[in-house]
């Protein structure tokens, strides 16, 4: 089957094993295909030899990149198992990308630029010069990026709140919001499964804002229910260093506070040391505006990055969070204890509140209390919880 023909309607096509489908991506009106079922091998012919580009299965799409960048490249597909393909009408797809969905449009632009970096002179991915693993991980990453973009649109990202308690008396002081992906098939996905990819695809900002909004809403509801006891409770929300210093950050946060009705004093923003190192002037200016708004700032994972005293001095910080890697060893290794002591006294000299992360055992909590740390967070007290679990937990903790 050859596809120079104009196809304007979407339709199904069956590809039997060893049927070949030569498709020219980017030919005017040339379609892309969604694999409904079966397995398809995509290859390119070079000097009469089949060079495998990818093996795709149910739910995968091929031929779509050229619809986006208009580049013409020829490849062939062969069914490995009886395959049912859904032919995607390019005009429909383009309309969808241009008009209906700015997020998808942006993702596609990123994907196209990423693919260009591995496209050879022949105009197709160079599987012969690219290790097979790279081809596969590239395709895998593209699929995940597409899935993340879709999940953002469907607002599948929510916030789990983990309590932060005062070491002096065990009372709840606040919460950290941790992003969770409520995946329709995979269930709850932890941040390690999407934050790094979302960061590299420049999608993490959307997740951060969804998570912040959800966290602010939850805390507002909790405050409404608990009244005076909860007056000083705050929620700490992670913001990726890749967009913290963006000019719109302050306006976004102000808008979320207004929309959710949470007072600015109940919000903390957690940033890591990478924010400070990448552009300290821009970061300091955003931090100062947040401070003026009444939002506080915590330095996360303190001790694992590069923050120097000079940076600390320039940021209007409120809180230092001591990384779990130091807490792990605090009761076992005298060296870790020395480091934790130094960090706590640094916090004290900058008048910062201190939070120890990842407390799993009572002996760790006792040692940190003795060392003068203010707050603690960890499985010893509670795991991160979605709103539906948090409310009963609060009842039992009362
Ligand atoms: P983090 O900010 O250092 O968050 C603390 C992580 O430690 C969380 O993992 C939390 O579940 C885990 N943790 C808490 N207590 C304990 C404990 O006692 N023991 C152990 N072993 N672990 C504990 P999680 O939820 O998987 O988050 C991982 C990282 O993902 C976070 O590290 C943060 O860097 C990032 N992240 C999470 N949510 C967001 C978000 O909304 N935006 C951005 N940009 N990053 C996020
Ligand atoms: Ca954090
Ligand atoms: Ca942390």
């Amino acid at each position: 089957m050859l596809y120079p023909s104009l196809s304007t309607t979407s339709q199904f096509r069956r590809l039997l094993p060893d049927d070949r489908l030569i498709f020219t991506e980017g030919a005017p009106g040339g379609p892309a295909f969604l694999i409904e079922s079966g397995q398809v091998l995509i290859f390119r012919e070079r000097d009469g030899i089949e060079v495998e580009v990818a093996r795709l299965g149910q739910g995968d799409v091929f031929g779509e990149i050229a619809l986006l960048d208009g580049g013409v490249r020829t490849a062939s597909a062969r069914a490995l198992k009886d395959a049912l393909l859904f032919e995607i009408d390019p005009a429909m797809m383009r309309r969808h990308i241009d008009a209906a969905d700015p997020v998808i449009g942006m993702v596609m632009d990123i994907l196209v630029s990423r693919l260009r970096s591995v496209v050879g002179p022949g105009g197709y991915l160079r599987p012969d010069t690219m290790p097979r693993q790279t081809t596969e991980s590239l395709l895998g990453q593209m699929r995940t990026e597409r899935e993340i973009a879709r999940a953002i649109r469907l607002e599948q990202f929510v916030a789990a709140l983990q309590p932060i308690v005062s070491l002096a008396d065990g009372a709840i002081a606040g919460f950290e919001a941790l992003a969770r992906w409520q995946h329709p098939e995979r269930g709850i996905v932890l941040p390690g499964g999407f934050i790094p990819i979302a960061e590299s695809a420049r999608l993490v900002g959307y997740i951060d804002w969804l998570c912040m909004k959800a966290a602010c809403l939850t805390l507002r509801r909790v405050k409404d229910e608990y009244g005076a006891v909860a007056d000083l409770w705050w929620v700490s929300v992670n913001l990726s260093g890749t967009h913290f210093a963006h000019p719109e950050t302050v306006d976004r946060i102000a808008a979320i506070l207004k929309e959710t009705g949470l007072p600015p004093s109940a919000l903390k923003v957690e940033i890591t040391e990478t924010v400070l190192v990448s552009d300290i002037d821009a970061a300091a200016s955003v931090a100062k505006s947040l401070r003026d708004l009444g939002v506080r700032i915590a330095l996360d994972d303190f001790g694992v990055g590069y923050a120097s005293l000079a940076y600390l001095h320039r940021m209007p910080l409120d809180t230092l969070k001591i990384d779990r890697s130091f807490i792990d060893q605090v009761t076992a290794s005298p060296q870790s204890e020395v480091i934790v002591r130094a960090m706590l006294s640094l916090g004290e000299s900058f008048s910062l509140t201190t939070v120890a992360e990842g407390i799993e055992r009572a002996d760790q909590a006792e040692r940190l209390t003795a060392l003068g740390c203010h707050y603690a967070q960890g499985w010893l007290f509670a795991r991160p919880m979605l709103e539906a679990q948090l409310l009963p937990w609060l009842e039992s903790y009362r």
Side-chain angles (χ1 to χ4, degrees), residues 330-362:
V330 73
T331 52
S333 131
Q335 212 180 355
S336 284
E337 187 182 314
V338 169
I339 296 172
V340 171
R341 264 182 208 279
M343 289 198 268
L344 290 171
S345 76
L346 191 71
E348 199 178 329
S349 55
F350 281 91
S351 307
L352 305 176
T353 58
T354 41
V355 180
E357 294 187 318
I359 303 268
E360 296 180 356
R361 301 188 314 268

Side-chain angles (χ1 to χ4, degrees), residues 162 176-180 190-192 195 199 204 207-208 211 238-240 270 300-301 323-324 357-360 377-380 384:
Q162 183 175 34
E176 175 174 3
L178 294 153
R180 297 291 180 261
L190 296 175
I195 293 283
E199 279 188 335
V204 74
I207 297 175
D208 284 350
C211 180
N238 295 283
L239 279 197
S240 165
E270 294 196 6
D300 198 5
D301 302 341
D323 190 64
R324 176 159 59 91
E357 294 187 318
I359 303 268
E360 296 180 356
Q377 172 184 356
W379 296 347
L380 175 66

Side-chain angles (χ1 to χ4, degrees), residues 205-220:
Y206 296 96
I207 297 175
D208 284 350
W209 302 130
L210 283 175
C211 180
M212 180 180 283
K213 191 172 139 192
C216 289
L217 263 181
T218 298
L219 184 60
R220 213 223 51 227

